[in-house]
Amino acid sequence: MKKALFHPLFRIINFSFIGILGQLLMVGISFANGEFINVSGTVTSSNGEQIPGVSILVKGTAIGTVTDLDGTYSLNVPNEGDIMVFSSIGYLTQEVPLNGRAVIDIIMEEDIQGLEEVVVVGYGTQKKVNVIGSVTTIGEEELSAAPVSTISNALAGRLPGAIVQQTSGEPGNDQAAILVRGSSTLGNNSPLIVIDGIPGRDLNSVPSNSIESITVLKDASAAIYGSRAANGVILVTTKGGLKNTPATFKYEFYEGFLSPTMVPEMADAPTYAQMIREMQSYRGVDEANMSFSLEDIEKYKAGNLPWTHPNTDWFDAGLADYSRNRSHNFSVSGGGESINYYGALGTQYDGGIYSNSASSFNRYNLTANVDVKVNEFLDVGINIIASQEKRMFPTRGSGTVFAHLIRGYPTETATWPNGLPGPDVERGDQPLVISSFEPGYDDDRRYRSNNTLSANLKIPGVEGLTLSSYYAYDIYFKQRKLFERPFNLYHLDVGGYLAAGNTGSEDGSAFLTGIPSGQAPEPRLRDFFDNTITNTFNLKLNYDKTLNGVHNISTFISYENSEYTGQGIEAFRRYFVSDKLPYLFAGGNAEKDNGGWIDIDARVNYFGRFSYNFKETYLFQFSFRRDGSLRFSEESGRWGNFPGVLAGWNASNEDFWKDNIGFIDFFKVKASWGKMGNDLVNPFQYLTSYEFDEGTVFGSGRNYNTGLNLTGTPNPFITWEVANVYNAGFESNFLDGRLSLDTEFFYERRNNILVQRSASVPNYTGISLPDENFGIVDNKGFEVILGYNDQKPKFSYGINGNLAFARNSVIEFDEPERNVPWQVQTGYPQGSALLYRSIGIFRDEEHVNSLPHVPGARPGDIIIEDYDGNGIINNDDRTLFDRTTNPQITYGLSFNFKYENWELRGLVQGAGRAMRLMYTSLQGSSGNYFQYDAEGRWTPDNINADKPRAFEREEEYWRLNFRTDYSYHNTSYARLKNLQLSYTIPTHLLEAIKVSTARVFVTGQNLFLIHAGTDIMDPELGNLNNYPIMRVLSFGTSVSF
Amino acid sequence: MKKYININVLSVFLLLMTSCVEEVLEKAPLDRYAEELVWSDINLANSYLNTAYRNMSSGFNSNLNLAGVSDHTFFIHIYGTDVYVQGNITPSNMGPFNHTRFRFLNWQLFDNIQIINTFLENIDKVVENTEENEREAAQIKAEILKGEAFFLRAFAYAQMARTFGGLPILTEPFGIGDDYLGTARGSFEETIDFIVQDCDNAASLLLPKEEMEMGRATKGAALALKSRILLFAASDLTADGTAENKYVGYENPDRTALWLAAKNAAKAVIDMNAYSLADFGAPDKEAVANNYYDFFQTNGSF
């Protein structure tokens, strides 16, 4: 019987949208024909008060109403057997079968669940109302809305205070960079990722389907992670099964179409040729020596001479219209009396956008969580998160491909009319060819198995005392094969072709010469094998107790240690006779090469937490952690102590509050201080040691003799960075919980940042000073979260906005003395650029002479402000710009509307106060111009321009030596990040095929930019040469049975 | 029974608790050698000196060479050559002379002097720390390596003395916290004397060419370097009595003595009877001279 069920199920999923619509229509008709039964009643609360505004819906239909001010209702119901659904915010939803009754009075039970909601905090969970740290959580619904393969890309705009930037869209490399509350150190700003309790695991190898929630700890609540907490902590919890629940099978699928959100628009051939002529004329090149004649420009415009005068749009030629992605996930969860389980298998595929693409990403995931209740006292758990990832890349990185799509001359051919590839600009980097399998491939496979065994023992005889422990064994294995081979690019013998009487439109196949190109003159292979193993052991003694019903105590002490070893080898062979067997043994014997590496790390930690609250009104928490790390010397610096103190007051629990300002349903004020560390610095800087150096050649052989060199100058006192983080804020609910407003302010001072003193040692000593712990950075800001959620009979909706601001300033980094006060970087954000200020474009010679200018300036050049007013443009005229590539403002606005079975969810996300260098050096004679540079540029005929003249590479002063803010673009943006329309298929349609719920949806990710600070590229992209960010349009389904 | 199991589990936990402790932190890095190890193994000490060889830099193997700071060529990758060619060099902007590709004549050679001085300070320890049955062999090898180190130091000083004149005379490695500014610049004369002294030390320890591995400093090389620097020192540039100060030349040169020293040094190399001018297969000396002349004069011959 079951087998037969799958057939109609899959038909519905894949092909039968029309069928479903047809059935819906039929359902509608049957309603119209039926006899209605009038049902009425009163809805009251458990203490007898009538409740207005309760929505009542006949399940599986659009029929519904709402209770009036007296809590009464009346409704026409089609069938005697229908089920009525009563729901209201703050109360548990109830489903009541009609069973032929005409009067149904209902007592609504208060939804304790909302109050009982728990949040994952480090090493435990807490009731949400009692959380006093700065903690943000998102759940399954938000996480699964984005059709993306890396979970980090589902987080932007949803976690207030987390800056999530996707800097590349390349399959397998498109993970977003996450900063919690901006950057607070001159060193490494990466937050700590904790997956199912184990620190340091990889976030992006876990599929969103298996994740139950993601929580970010932003303040002293992270202090329980001690020396790794300063950059914030991101806690990921995978799904588990519930006890005493029947097995639920779930299948989720989507398929998407990907295309770039934005690619740089480049000049076309006539424009490019014209600009080169202009550039050459400014440089005094006479007509006879110009690269392009006026006649050439006409020919490029005409476009009918593809052999001699093509007009190539390299992006158009090099990129396909769309690529695909696809995800399948199958899971089962449930539980019995003594065992509960969750298991999932999933696959993910992302295709590459190149027109002949060698790029793709495949991932297989396995998640298994099993908890067994051994007896009354002992629980044992097994948790496995495994993945296999296969990344296929071309031999040349996407950075090179996109650099050459930008650089490619529009006056050269991408593909000859006969299908052969056109020439390169240099080094064989013809973007259409190097993005394909033609030059070989870079096959990168990564295998992860994260395994945790845990036990939880209730100590008999002592109520509330438990001993728990886990041991995690995480294996990571990487295998990479870089196989390269030569390929041909075809150059046209233009002279011969024209001499034979051709004009440019006739076939020139006979005049094409194939030239072996690329990085490898013969097939060659480099194999890499790397593996890392991380062990984590934890032991924890937990005690929970409520005294006299009012004093709630929860406390634990814990010991943890972790060890890491990573090692790898690589081997190289060249002179393969054939390119058919890409294995080392098939290579030649000459010039074989190999290498290896090893790396270790270890930590020992002691920590504990004491949480206390009085009637859940006065909240207090203290945590303490003592961490030891082998990165630092035993004599000094190895051990550090990291305390955290948090206090809160649930003011709305007080009687005076309830009596006077009861319209504010919930109000909590909170404040915290924590001292945390950051140990993401190079290990063993305290040791005097000698590492391998390239060495030198002796004797008649051609081999290097190993060299050794000192590993920098040791600093025996080196230790971790220390952050003092202060946080204060409030959480509030109004209008029966419909409106919520949370606000937080923070201030962080990061001390002990590793900085090299510049107050220097003379060069003749031959030593460079070691890093020392004396840098200081301040970071401050706020977060505001405002939400409104409501539920009407057939309609529910919510709008939730968040806005975060964080600005850091460098307080101490041993800044050398500056010539002029406005160049002092202390006090400015890290990474502030020191630039000349552009104030316009020189109109003409007279204009040039009327203002201070760089020697050699001519009309069309950028006017540089003489900032100090001394009449000359020199280094002193540079000023600091406080915007950097990290936005100071980030915001998100999510919304959802639910009408009957339809649901629309969306997210607008954006960033502000950021800028980035938008610049590529090889423009002019060695590469194409941006259309941005072409449009509205200065020419002798357009002297009132706001963009400079046609230029040559970096030879104009404003291109390199006197770079101005003109080369930087505002990278603020706002985009419709996500939009999902879904339809839940009515249950009664599914009963026949034993499906309990089924949902179909269409989703758009990165749909469009509402606002972009720059015209050149997507403002979020990390670099002009990066693989573009993708817009995804997908459809999919989710079925449970 | 159940209770029994629980107590067992508990005691296993406690056992783990007491045994795990902090041993995991007692680890040394595995990808590098500790200081004590390097200075107790002649082969590792030898490898350290290999780095000093590497840092000599030749000036021939990089795409930036001296022609790039002349009027003859325009160096397209620039690397700061424009600063020099346009006459804009300042103490804070040395243009190409701070570039690593010019390290064969710039201050970056001081990095190599620090390496060599570190080697010279520690090499004697290596012999002491070597096991007795291998000590004699280590001693012999250490003496030669020391000779090579003296040569390398003389070479670095000679390169910089020809570029800058007098230099601080450094015989010990610097450490953290030293009084760096207390080191004075030596006069040109002191610098030349120091180079000569290093060359003499090297020559006394090094073996002739046939007994050394190709590419290493030899006795002949040490004597040749001495001859070369003495000839330079005796020349008009530094020894005609017009030097502005003692750092750029001899203040009161005894020209005869200088020429004589240069001559004697050259003679010492010639008398080794190990070296002669190459004849490139030419029949007589005149043909050699003409070939040499033509080599530089013939247009497009290379």
Side-chain angles (χ1 to χ4, degrees):
Chain A
M1 184 59 204
K2 262 194 175 168
K3 261 184 196 166
L5 291 177
F6 280 91
H7 181 62
L9 172 67
F10 278 94
R11 261 185 44 203
I12 289 174
I13 296 160
N14 289 322
F15 312 108
S16 296
F17 290 103
I18 295 165
I20 291 167
L21 285 176
Q23 292 186 38
L24 286 174
L25 219 62
M26 280 162 62
V27 173
I29 291 163
S30 72
F31 288 164
N33 291 340
E35 288 274 317
F36 287 97
I37 305 154
N38 186 275
V39 180
S40 62
T42 310
V43 180
T44 52
S45 67
S46 50
N47 55 13
E49 288 170 26
Q50 288 105 352
I51 316 175
V54 176
S55 81
I56 300 145
L57 192 67
V58 180
K59 194 171 178 183
T61 74
I63 301 163
T65 185
V66 62
T67 56
D68 60 18
L69 286 172
D70 302 324
T72 60
Y73 71 94
S74 168
L75 183 66
N76 288 324
V77 180
N79 299 310
E80 287 189 352
D82 277 337
I83 295 169
M84 307 209 352
V85 183
F86 293 79
S87 60
S88 180
I89 289 232
Y91 296 94
L92 288 175
T93 298
Q94 290 191 46
E95 294 192 2
V96 183
L98 202 54
N99 291 340
R101 288 176 289 175
V103 177
I104 295 179
D105 293 332
I106 286 292
I107 297 169
M108 296 290 280
E109 284 174 48
E110 280 192 41
D111 183 7
I112 316 284
Q113 201 65 39
L115 297 171
E116 291 289 311
E117 193 182 336
V118 292
V119 175
V120 179
V121 294
Y123 298 99
T125 56
Q126 282 176 355
K127 277 166 76 175
K128 194 174 180 211
V129 289
N130 292 340
V131 169
I132 29 185
S134 178
V135 176
T136 318
T137 296
I138 55 172
E140 213 183 321
E141 282 194 329
E142 288 103 328
L143 288 171
S144 59
V148 291
S149 53
T150 47
I151 190 70
S152 55
N153 282 321
L155 305 180
R158 302 208 188 264
L159 288 168
I163 300 175
V164 181
Q165 281 177 292
Q166 185 181 6
T167 55
S168 162
E170 186 174 25
N173 275 338
D174 60 348
Q175 71 281 0
I178 305 176
L179 293 173
V180 176
R181 287 179 163 170
S183 59
S184 300
T185 171
L186 302 158
N188 191 328
N189 279 293
S190 309
L192 175 68
I193 309 288
V194 178
I195 297 180
D196 285 337
I198 312 300
R201 285 179 170 173
D202 180 66
L203 176 66
N204 291 302
S205 59
V206 187
S208 59
N209 315 67
S210 289
I211 298 178
E212 180 156 308
S213 71
I214 292 184
T215 299
V216 184
L217 310 178
K218 294 178 284 191
D219 68 343
S221 51
I224 197 68
Y225 287 98
S227 66
R228 306 171 83 177
N231 295 335
V233 177
I234 296 173
L235 304 171
V236 179
T237 309
T238 59
K239 288 177 183 166
L242 287 174
K243 287 220 165 72
N244 299 318
T245 345
T248 305
F249 297 89
K250 191 172 186 185
Y251 169 74
E252 292 158 284
F253 160 81
Y254 69 76
E255 168 119 15
F257 300 86
L258 285 68
S259 54
T261 53
M262 202 169 164
V263 292
E265 192 183 345
M266 305 307 299
D268 63 6
T271 311
Y272 173 73
Q274 172 59 29
M275 286 177 78
I276 291 295
R277 282 179 57 84
E278 288 169 19
M279 179 272 285
Q280 288 178 332
S281 75
Y282 306 145
R283 299 166 71 87
V285 176
D286 56 24
E287 184 62 41
N289 289 316
M290 291 247 180
S291 303
F292 300 98
S293 65
L294 285 170
E295 193 192 348
D296 283 330
I297 293 181
E298 289 312 312
K299 286 179 176 173
Y300 286 123
K301 272 187 191 157
N304 55 358
L305 304 170
W307 289 88
T308 54
H309 290 81
N311 184 357
T312 303
D313 180 337
W314 284 91
F315 277 94
D316 196 41
L319 302 186
D321 292 340
Y322 62 87
S323 58
R324 304 277 278 266
N325 71 359
R326 193 175 301 121
S327 163
H328 297 274
N329 195 70
F330 185 81
S331 68
V332 57
S333 70
E337 196 55 52
S338 60
I339 188 164
N340 52 322
Y341 54 87
Y342 170 84
L345 266 175
T347 69
Q348 175 77 40
Y349 162 81
D350 288 355
I353 193 70
Y354 305 128
S355 52
N356 191 3
S357 180
S359 272
S360 66
F361 173 63
N362 271 293
R363 188 180 62 208
Y364 300 90
N365 284 97
L366 170 84
T367 313
N369 285 321
V370 179
D371 291 306
V372 180
K373 189 176 163 129
V374 177
N375 60 33
E376 190 187 344
F377 301 105
L378 184 65
D379 289 303
V380 176
I382 296 171
N383 165 252
I384 297 169
I385 308 169
S387 65
Q388 177 187 327
E389 296 167 346
K390 180 179 171 176
R391 289 167 172 79
M392 187 62 93
F393 299 122
T395 55
R396 299 290 268 164
S398 59
T400 310
V401 176
F402 282 93
H404 280 86
L405 287 175
I406 289 174
R407 202 176 163 187
Y409 299 115
T411 52
E412 292 282 358
T413 301
T415 307
W416 295 107
N418 65 3
L420 292 172
D424 54 348
V425 177
E426 62 176 14
R427 295 185 186 142
D429 286 332
Q430 214 275 31
L432 273 65
V433 179
I434 59 169
S435 56
S436 73
F437 282 117
E438 197 66 27
Y441 52 82
D442 184 348
D443 179 355
D444 174 320
R445 293 165 195 236
R446 303 176 193 180
Y447 307 85
R448 276 191 185 82
S449 180
N450 296 341
N451 313 289
T452 314
L453 184 65
S454 60
N456 195 22
L457 177 70
K458 287 192 184 105
I459 296 190
V462 190
E463 179 68 27
L465 186 66
T466 48
L467 180 67
S468 59
S469 176
Y470 60 73
Y471 177 74
Y473 187 74
D474 293 0
I475 311 170
Y476 170 64
F477 182 69
K478 180 174 162 173
Q479 189 179 350
R480 182 178 163 215
K481 197 177 266 300
L482 176 62
F483 186 68
E484 295 171 287
R485 59 190 164 214
F487 54 90
N488 279 343
L489 295 178
Y490 292 85
H491 296 246
L492 180 71
D493 170 14
V494 181
Y497 172 78
L498 292 176
N502 295 309
T503 58
S505 58
E506 302 80 3
D507 182 69
S509 300
F511 299 92
L512 287 179
T513 319
I515 296 178
S517 306
Q519 305 296 307
E522 77 292 318
R524 49 172 68 174
L525 171 69
R526 195 173 285 275
D527 262 348
F528 302 80
F529 290 84
D530 301 304
N531 71 72
T532 71
I533 291 174
T534 313
N535 303 307
T536 310
F537 170 75
N538 178 288
L539 190 64
K540 189 174 120 186
L541 193 64
N542 207 94
Y543 184 66
D544 292 327
K545 185 83 180 165
T546 300
L547 297 169
N548 303 333
V550 291
H551 304 282
N552 301 307
I553 295 167
S554 174
T555 180
F556 74 82
I557 52 165
S558 181
Y559 164 86
E560 186 169 305
N561 75 35
S562 69
E563 269 184 288
Y564 158 89
T565 311
Q567 52 188 319
I569 55 169
E570 64 170 275
F572 172 75
R573 284 222 201 179
R574 57 190 298 189
Y575 306 117
F576 279 64
V577 188
S578 151
D579 63 4
K580 297 294 178 271
L581 283 179
Y583 304 100
L584 284 171
F585 60 78
N589 269 313
E591 294 169 57
K592 295 190 281 192
D593 193 13
N594 55 55
W597 62 275
I598 186 160
D599 193 16
I600 56 168
D601 203 357
R603 293 183 171 85
V604 170
N605 324 296
Y606 303 94
F607 51 99
R609 180 163 60 207
F610 173 78
S611 304
Y612 167 81
N613 70 63
F614 179 75
K615 285 185 171 172
E616 298 198 337
T617 302
Y618 302 97
L619 314 162
F620 174 78
Q621 185 177 309
F622 171 73
S623 69
F624 182 81
R625 178 148 169 155
R626 179 167 170 78
D627 280 358
S629 165
L630 101 170
R631 296 173 186 219
F632 312 114
S633 98
E634 204 177 347
E635 290 72 33
S636 73
R638 173 163 293 176
W639 291 93
N641 300 325
F642 304 99
V645 181
L646 302 93
W649 178 36
N650 275 333
S652 51
N653 281 356
E654 304 279 3
D655 289 338
F656 78 82
W657 189 283
K658 287 178 184 159
D659 296 343
N660 297 309
I661 30 183
F663 69 92
I664 302 178
D665 314 313
F666 173 73
F667 191 83
K668 174 164 73 184
V669 287
K670 57 186 184 182
S672 71
W673 162 78
K675 189 179 152 192
M676 290 168 263
N678 176 21
D679 70 352
L680 294 173
V681 300
N682 288 336
F684 303 118
Q685 292 187 56
Y686 65 90
L687 281 179
T688 306
S689 60
Y690 292 78
E691 65 187 357
F692 287 91
D693 202 75
E694 196 165 11
T696 189
V697 178
F698 292 127
S700 50
R702 293 164 62 191
N703 299 321
Y704 276 90
N705 291 42
T706 305
L708 285 178
N709 206 354
L710 263 173
T711 322
T713 310
N715 170 6
F717 306 108
I718 211 139
T719 189
W720 29 50
E721 297 173 5
V722 174
N724 274 286
V725 181
Y726 303 84
N727 193 79
F730 66 84
E731 295 165 26
S732 60
N733 287 339
F734 306 80
L735 308 175
D736 296 327
R738 289 192 193 94
L739 180 68
S740 62
L741 172 67
D742 298 352
T743 303
E744 297 195 23
F745 298 88
F746 71 91
Y747 164 71
E748 170 176 354
R749 168 157 285 203
R750 185 74 63 94
N751 283 306
N752 274 12
I753 298 171
L754 285 178
V755 182
Q756 199 176 12
R757 268 181 214 284
S758 56
S760 71
V761 182
N763 280 348
Y764 62 73
T765 59
I767 60 173
S768 53
L769 286 179
D771 284 348
E772 292 172 69
N773 294 97
F774 73 90
I776 302 173
V777 171
D778 272 2
N779 188 18
K780 52 190 117 176
F782 63 85
E783 287 129 33
V784 182
I785 309 165
L786 183 63
Y788 190 84
N789 297 279
D790 201 3
Q791 197 173 349
K792 297 277 183 236
K794 295 176 191 171
F795 183 57
S796 69
Y797 64 96
I799 299 175
N800 295 284
N802 68 72
L803 172 76
F805 173 82
R807 184 187 190 273
N808 69 77
S809 48
V810 181
I811 302 300
E812 169 68 63
F813 71 108
D814 194 29
E815 181 167 15
E817 201 169 313
R818 304 291 179 196
N819 249 0
V820 286
W822 55 85
Q823 293 183 359
V824 175
Q825 303 207 342
T826 304
Y828 271 80
Q830 307 166 55
S832 298
L834 189 59
L835 299 170
Y836 293 95
R837 307 169 82 96
S838 65
I839 50 169
I841 305 297
F842 286 119
R843 283 190 301 278
D844 47 29
E845 208 59 56
E846 195 186 336
H847 194 195
V848 174
N849 292 330
S850 69
L851 289 167
H853 57 264
V854 175
R858 51 153 294 133
D861 281 337
I862 289 176
I863 309 171
I864 291 176
E865 184 186 358
D866 180 21
Y867 188 77
D868 59 2
N870 68 351
I872 49 167
I873 304 298
N874 62 10
N875 191 35
D876 291 348
D877 294 317
R878 295 202 292 168
T879 60
L880 281 164
F881 287 77
D882 78 341
R883 291 178 193 192
T884 68
T885 53
N886 288 333
Q888 291 174 12
I889 295 173
T890 48
Y891 53 91
L893 181 73
S894 66
F895 52 87
N896 64 78
F897 301 100
K898 217 171 176 174
Y899 180 74
E900 294 179 357
N901 290 346
W902 293 93
E903 187 174 6
L904 180 71
R905 309 176 67 89
L907 172 70
V908 173
Q909 178 259 337
R913 291 189 61 82
M915 70 175 194
R916 189 183 287 279
L917 180 61
M918 297 276 176
Y919 177 83
T920 174
S921 59
L922 298 167
Q923 293 186 304
S925 63
S926 53
N928 197 3
Y929 295 103
F930 292 120
Q931 180 63 18
Y932 176 86
D933 293 324
E935 267 167 30
R937 70 182 181 278
W938 184 95
T939 63
D941 302 328
N942 178 29
I943 61 168
N944 289 311
D946 54 5
K947 290 181 191 167
R949 63 187 173 92
F951 53 87
E952 169 66 347
R953 304 211 302 185
E954 305 201 299
E955 292 178 20
E956 271 51 78
Y957 64 85
W958 40 273
R959 289 277 291 165
L960 179 65
N961 292 335
F962 291 82
R963 190 175 283 166
T964 69
D965 53 334
Y966 177 81
S967 302
Y968 285 71
H969 285 226
N970 178 352
T971 50
S972 66
Y973 67 91
R975 65 161 97 241
L976 184 59
K977 186 80 183 169
N978 183 269
L979 192 67
Q980 184 177 63
L981 179 66
S982 65
Y983 178 74
T984 305
I985 296 167
T987 328
H988 63 270
L989 294 180
L990 300 168
E991 273 166 8
I993 49 168
K994 297 270 189 260
V995 169
S996 60
T997 55
R999 203 168 69 97
V1000 290
F1001 51 84
V1002 286
T1003 311
Q1005 179 80 355
N1006 294 328
L1007 272 178
F1008 57 85
L1009 283 155
I1010 299 162
H1011 152 75
T1014 171
D1015 298 338
I1016 294 189
M1017 68 171 202
D1018 190 311
E1020 195 179 349
L1021 198 66
N1023 186 307
L1024 270 169
N1025 296 342
N1026 284 8
Y1027 192 106
I1029 294 171
M1030 291 285 141
R1031 171 192 300 126
V1032 188
L1033 278 172
S1034 72
F1035 64 89
T1037 183
S1038 158
V1039 184
S1040 302
F1041 43 93
Chain B
M1 183 63 193
K2 262 184 193 168
K3 241 180 193 171
Y4 213 65
I5 293 171
N6 287 336
I7 288 163
N8 268 343
V9 171
L10 185 64
S11 56
V12 167
F13 277 148
L14 289 174
L15 198 71
L16 281 168
M17 182 86 175
T18 46
S19 63
C20 46
V21 281
E22 287 154 23
E23 275 160 28
V24 295
L25 297 181
E26 308 303 319
K27 286 190 187 117
L30 300 175
D31 58 350
R32 56 192 86 169
Y33 294 109
E35 193 178 19
E36 311 82 65
L37 220 54
V38 174
W39 302 122
S40 58
D41 182 336
I42 190 73
N43 293 322
L44 292 179
N46 176 28
S47 291
Y48 183 57
L49 197 64
N50 286 348
T51 300
Y53 270 106
R54 176 178 170 72
N55 288 352
M56 285 170 77
S57 305
S58 65
F60 295 112
N61 62 355
S62 65
N63 57 358
L64 175 60
N65 54 41
L66 282 172
V69 284
S70 71
D71 291 337
H72 303 157
T73 58
F74 171 70
F75 178 60
I76 60 162
H77 299 301
I78 310 206
Y79 293 162
T81 51
D82 55 334
V83 182
Y84 179 80
V85 175
Q86 293 165 14
N88 290 332
I89 275 196
T90 64
S92 62
N93 185 1
M94 300 268 285
F97 297 105
N98 257 351
H99 203 280
T100 49
R101 301 200 192 219
F102 267 161
R103 68 175 304 154
F104 61 95
L105 52 70
N106 68 24
W107 276 37
Q108 290 174 22
L109 282 172
F110 278 117
D111 297 359
N112 214 27
I113 289 168
Q114 169 79 0
I115 289 176
I116 295 162
N117 283 337
T118 306
F119 176 87
L120 286 170
E121 188 182 64
N122 289 294
I123 185 67
D124 291 334
K125 282 190 223 161
V126 177
V127 180
E128 285 166 35
N129 295 336
T130 305
E131 280 177 38
E132 208 156 330
N133 56 344
E134 291 168 11
R135 194 170 291 160
E136 202 182 321
Q139 175 76 45
I140 293 167
K141 200 168 177 190
E143 290 304 311
I144 297 170
L145 289 175
K146 229 192 275 184
E148 292 178 46
F150 282 126
F151 170 82
L152 289 167
R153 187 165 72 184
F155 186 82
Y157 267 97
Q159 290 291 76
M160 286 195 293
R162 293 195 302 145
T163 319
F164 304 107
L167 303 162
I169 308 296
L170 307 172
T171 55
E172 282 170 11
F174 283 98
I176 289 293
D178 289 1
D179 174 20
Y180 307 118
L181 298 172
T183 309
R185 181 178 178 182
S187 69
F188 181 73
E189 185 172 1
E190 286 163 349
T191 305
I192 298 302
D193 291 350
F194 181 60
I195 296 168
V196 169
Q197 186 194 327
D198 269 358
C199 287
D200 287 339
N201 283 337
S204 71
L205 294 166
L206 288 171
L207 305 177
K209 190 179 172 184
E210 312 78 62
E211 296 169 44
M212 294 293 293
E213 197 176 7
M214 188 167 84
R216 289 187 180 274
T218 64
K219 191 184 201 76
L223 293 176
L225 178 61
K226 177 181 167 184
S227 156
R228 183 189 195 188
I229 198 66
L230 282 173
L231 188 64
F232 175 82
S235 68
D236 283 356
L237 182 67
T238 55
D240 68 353
T242 63
E244 234 171 76
N245 57 48
K246 64 175 179 173
Y247 299 114
V248 297
Y250 290 99
E251 276 187 316
N252 298 301
D254 178 350
R255 207 69 194 282
T256 319
L258 288 172
W259 283 127
L260 196 62
K263 184 201 138 191
N264 290 340
K267 189 76 170 56
V269 182
I270 294 165
D271 287 349
M272 286 177 77
N273 286 323
Y275 306 96
S276 59
L277 293 177
D279 59 8
F280 303 108
D284 55 43
K285 278 187 179 171
E286 200 169 333
V288 173
N290 281 329
N291 284 351
Y292 189 71
Y293 178 82
D294 288 346
F295 183 74
F296 286 98
Q297 286 296 309
T298 313
N299 191 17
S301 65
F302 46 92

